[in-house]
């Protein structure tokens, strides 16, 4: 314990000393959780690579990813390489999806830390967590205990300088969970939901059938990470916690599905099921991808490039359903471990409306299959119900004003009877990219005036 505490103190000192290093206001380092190339930081990186808004460097611990990015002409460095350390020490902006450790948690002092986060607050996050296995990390009984936790969980206790908030509901949750001041929130949508609206030509394509034709329907199954199950796996010797796998030691999804029956339904209805397990659980997917019409995409960077092809989202407690609300994709909730999950995992936020009201709900596989069979007979995507639209407003009040993915794909289309011809690109895309860039330009201009007493606008 004493050795670990001493090492934590040394690392904390290194973090503090990194504040003294001068930082380049025209440079940003970006990274992602689990050393991946995904989510909000990926899409901001790709956008800035195309617009040259500022110098951008991708930081990762995955050498294969770094090599792949370099092959595409991007600048990327290993976290602890000399160049990786240099850029982490000298970049003014840290842009990440979870914590500063996505880039380098010990060299970030003095940088403007832009946390784009990797979901929407449905399950409680960070310092709002009061139940489940993650609660002891954030809930402390004294200042002394809080200090020890801040040493042990350094990056979780470093506050972001800026976060994006697509609605007051999301902003209030972020403000509490990350202990932010109100001016640390920027009213904006997210790069992950905006990128393919701005660049529709870059959407991904799905594989075709053997006869080279497309599937009639596409279903995305994207369950949430079961953090209680993860905690159980860290304590294999303990038998005091109920088993979430339903007696199947391999995975909870083996017990929750009759995969043979599901696959037969998919074949009969000309449907493709995209299986997208959480990164912490994606090793489970190998058991199911051999079934016909089931495609495992758990190792894909993310799903945003194919959402335009999805006819139905099946999930449970994942906040992905919030991201598809602007696209008006129908949602089916399959909560096969409902009681166990509620008893052992994190609480959810009280948003004043039951999310289950926006779609169908199943708690057993037979009910799920019956709902899928019923939905397969629909010839068109159903119109969103009132509860669906209300939830859209709660989570996406900053959503782009009426410009859908399809309407952005072609110039000159009519929106509500008004032609888009003559509308500038900036007016069409008052999205997260534009709003963040305006915010950063304004901040740079103000800091330049403060330092030099001039109205000269810096290059950024």
């Amino acid at each position: 314990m004493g050795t670990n505490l001493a090492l934590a103190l040394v690392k904390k000192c290194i973090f503090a000393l990194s504040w003294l290093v001068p930082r380049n206001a025209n440079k940003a380092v970006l990274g992602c959780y689990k050393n991946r190339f995904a989510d909000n930081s990926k899409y901001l990186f790709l956008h800035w690579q195309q617009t040259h808004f500022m110098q951008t460097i991708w930081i990762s611990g995955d050498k294969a990813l770094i090599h792949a990015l370099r092959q595409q002409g991007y600048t990327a460095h290993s976290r602890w390489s000399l160049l990786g350390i240099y850029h982490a020490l000298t970049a003014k902006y840290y842009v990440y999806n979870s914590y500063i450790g996505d880039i380098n948690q010990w060299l970030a002092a003095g940088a403007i830390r832009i946390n784009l986060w990797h979901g929407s607050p449905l399950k409680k996050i960070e310092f709002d967590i009061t139940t489940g296995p993650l609660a002891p990390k954030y809930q402390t009984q004294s200042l002394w205990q809080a200090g020890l936790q801040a040493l042990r969980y350094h990056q979780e206790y470093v506050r972001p300088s800026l976060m994006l908030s697509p609605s007051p509901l999301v902003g209030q949750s972020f403000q509490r969970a990350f202990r932010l001041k109100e001016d640390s929130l920027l009213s904006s949508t997210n790069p992950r939901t905006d990128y393919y609206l701005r660049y529709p030509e870059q959407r991904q394509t799905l594989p075709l059938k053997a006869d080279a034709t497309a599937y009639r329907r596409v279903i995305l199954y994207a369950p949430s990470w079961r953090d209680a199950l993860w905690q159980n796996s860290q304590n294999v010797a303990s038998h005091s916690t109920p088993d979430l796998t339903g007696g199947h030691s391999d995975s909870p999804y083996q017990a929750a599905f009759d995969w043979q029956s599901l696959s037969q339904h998919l074949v009969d209805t000309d449907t493709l099921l995209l299986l997208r397990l959480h990164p912490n659980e994606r090793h489970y997917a190998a058991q199911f991808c051999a079934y016909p019409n089931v495609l495992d995409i758990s190792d894909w960077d993310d799903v945003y490039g194919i959402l335009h092809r999805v006819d139905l989202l099946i999930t449970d407690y994942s906040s992905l359903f919030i991201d598809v609300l602007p696209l008006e994709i129908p949602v089916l909730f399959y909560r096969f471990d409902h009681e166990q999950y509620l008893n052992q995992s994190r609480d959810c936020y009280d948003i004043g409306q039951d999310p289950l009201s926006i779609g169908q709900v199943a708690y057993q596989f037979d009910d799920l299959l019956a709902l899928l069979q019923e939905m397969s007979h629909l010839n068109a995507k159903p119109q969103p119900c009132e509860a669906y639209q209300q939830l859209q407003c709660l989570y996406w009040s900053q959503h782009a004003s009426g410009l859908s993915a399809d309407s952005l794909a072609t110039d000159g289309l009519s929106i509500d009877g008004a032609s888009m011809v003559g509308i500038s690109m900036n007016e069409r895309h008052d999205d997260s990219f534009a709003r963040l860039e305006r915010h950063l330009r304004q901040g740079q201009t103000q800091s330049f005036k403060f330092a030099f007493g001039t109205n000269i606008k810096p290059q950024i």
Side-chain angles (χ1 to χ4, degrees):
M1 176 62 182
T3 302
N4 291 338
L5 181 58
L7 182 60
L9 286 169
V10 169
K11 290 179 177 179
K12 203 77 167 179
C13 290
I14 293 173
F15 174 76
L17 288 172
S18 70
W19 185 84
L20 300 175
V21 181
R23 294 187 177 269
N24 183 344
N26 195 42
K27 179 162 69 175
V29 284
L30 301 90
C32 181
Y33 47 82
K34 292 187 174 291
N35 295 311
R36 302 172 68 203
F37 186 60
D39 222 292
N40 283 315
S41 56
K42 163 191 170 180
Y43 291 114
L44 185 60
F45 176 82
L46 292 176
H47 173 69
W48 281 351
Q49 286 287 317
Q50 295 176 75
T51 62
H52 306 290
F53 178 72
M54 68 167 66
Q55 182 186 7
T56 52
I57 299 102
W58 191 267
I59 302 294
S60 175
D62 186 336
K63 293 183 179 179
L65 171 62
I66 292 165
H67 176 74
L69 290 176
R70 288 176 176 175
Q71 290 291 102
Q72 298 176 60
Y74 301 136
T75 303
H77 296 293
S78 294
R79 183 168 294 114
W80 292 110
S81 67
L82 289 177
L83 283 173
I85 293 171
Y86 168 75
H87 288 302
L89 275 171
T90 58
K92 183 66 175 178
Y93 301 100
Y94 268 50
V95 183
Y96 50 97
N97 296 323
S98 294
Y99 308 105
I100 52 175
D102 292 356
I103 302 163
N104 194 312
Q105 65 172 311
W106 306 112
L107 305 179
I112 294 176
R113 300 176 294 274
I114 304 174
N115 188 349
L116 300 178
W117 201 233
H118 53 272
S120 298
L122 178 64
K123 293 183 294 186
K124 289 187 176 180
I125 56 176
E126 305 306 291
F127 288 88
D128 278 347
I129 299 174
T130 57
T131 60
L134 298 178
K137 181 185 295 188
Y138 300 102
Q139 302 305 319
T140 56
Q141 303 300 320
S142 65
L143 289 176
W144 168 252
Q145 188 180 7
L148 288 177
Q149 293 295 73
L151 286 174
R152 185 180 180 187
Y153 303 109
H154 165 72
Q155 61 177 347
E156 288 90 336
Y157 277 70
V158 175
R159 301 184 191 188
S161 309
L162 183 69
M163 296 188 74
L164 304 186
S165 166
S167 74
L169 172 70
V170 175
Q172 291 164 11
S173 299
F174 282 160
Q175 193 172 347
R176 290 192 310 268
F178 291 90
R179 305 174 301 168
L180 302 177
K181 296 181 180 178
E182 191 173 351
D183 59 5
S184 295
L185 293 169
L186 176 63
S187 295
S188 171
T189 48
N190 297 310
R192 66 176 183 265
T193 54
D194 292 344
Y195 186 80
Y196 292 103
L197 299 182
R198 187 179 274 254
Y199 303 105
E201 71 282 358
Q202 296 187 26
R203 295 169 179 166
Q204 294 170 257
T205 58
L206 292 174
L208 302 175
K209 294 180 293 185
D211 61 0
T213 60
Y215 291 91
R216 186 176 73 89
R217 297 180 75 241
V218 176
I219 298 174
L220 172 61
Y221 177 49
S224 179
W225 173 41
R226 284 157 170 76
D227 47 20
L229 182 61
W230 171 83
Q231 180 72 7
N232 291 350
S233 69
Q234 308 302 305
N235 301 281
V236 177
S238 173
H239 301 285
S240 59
T241 305
D243 180 17
L244 284 179
T245 64
H248 294 258
S249 59
D250 39 7
S251 84
Y253 309 106
Q254 182 68 48
F257 288 84
D258 179 344
W259 287 93
Q260 185 64 51
S261 297
L262 176 61
S263 176
Q264 187 61 55
H265 166 75
L266 298 172
V267 172
D268 292 343
T269 57
D270 194 15
T271 301
L272 176 65
L273 177 72
L274 303 175
L275 178 61
R276 171 72 178 184
L277 299 187
H278 189 278
N280 289 338
E281 298 181 342
R282 62 182 177 180
H283 55 283
Y284 292 142
Q287 303 173 73
F288 316 122
C289 58
Y291 287 97
N293 289 41
V294 177
L295 177 63
D296 175 27
I297 61 169
S298 302
D299 61 345
W300 285 18
D301 292 335
D302 50 50
V303 299
Y304 295 96
I306 51 94
L307 288 182
H308 66 288
R309 285 285 288 112
V310 172
D311 299 294
L312 173 67
L313 170 66
I314 302 177
T315 188
D316 43 24
Y317 319 94
S318 171
S319 65
L320 179 61
F321 86 87
I322 297 171
D323 283 354
V324 308
L325 289 174
L327 300 175
E328 298 185 347
I329 297 173
V331 181
L332 193 163
F333 295 95
Y334 182 35
R335 295 187 167 185
F336 55 83
D337 58 351
H338 185 62
E339 292 185 7
Q340 291 172 316
Y341 190 93
L342 291 181
N343 291 334
Q344 298 181 37
S345 296
R346 286 173 277 166
D347 289 337
C348 291
Y349 286 104
D350 180 10
I351 62 172
Q353 179 178 336
D354 182 7
L356 301 184
S357 63
I358 73 168
Q360 301 278 12
V361 188
Y363 296 99
Q364 296 180 350
F365 176 76
D366 290 344
D367 296 330
L368 172 69
L369 187 59
L371 287 172
L372 291 177
Q373 291 170 340
E374 179 183 331
M375 293 177 181
S376 67
H377 298 301
L378 298 176
N379 294 322
K381 184 168 69 174
Q383 291 298 311
C385 63
E386 183 179 353
Y388 196 110
Q389 295 172 331
Q390 289 174 352
L391 213 59
Q392 277 181 328
C393 294
L394 280 173
Y395 277 106
W396 294 102
S397 58
Q398 292 295 328
H399 186 55
S401 56
L403 296 184
S404 68
D406 291 333
S407 61
L408 288 177
T410 307
D411 288 337
L413 289 181
S414 174
I415 302 294
D416 294 332
S419 174
M420 289 176 62
V421 175
I423 299 178
S424 71
M425 186 62 69
N426 287 338
E427 289 174 316
R428 291 190 196 182
H429 297 298
D430 187 21
D431 52 16
S432 55
F433 305 112
R435 294 187 184 195
L436 182 58
E437 288 165 6
R438 284 200 301 269
H439 182 84
L440 296 183
R441 285 194 188 99
Q442 182 182 14
Q444 288 292 81
T445 302
Q446 290 175 344
S447 62
F448 198 86
K449 289 168 65 177
F450 177 78
F452 299 102
T454 175
N455 286 322
I456 297 176
K457 187 175 183 179
Q459 179 69 35
I460 186 170

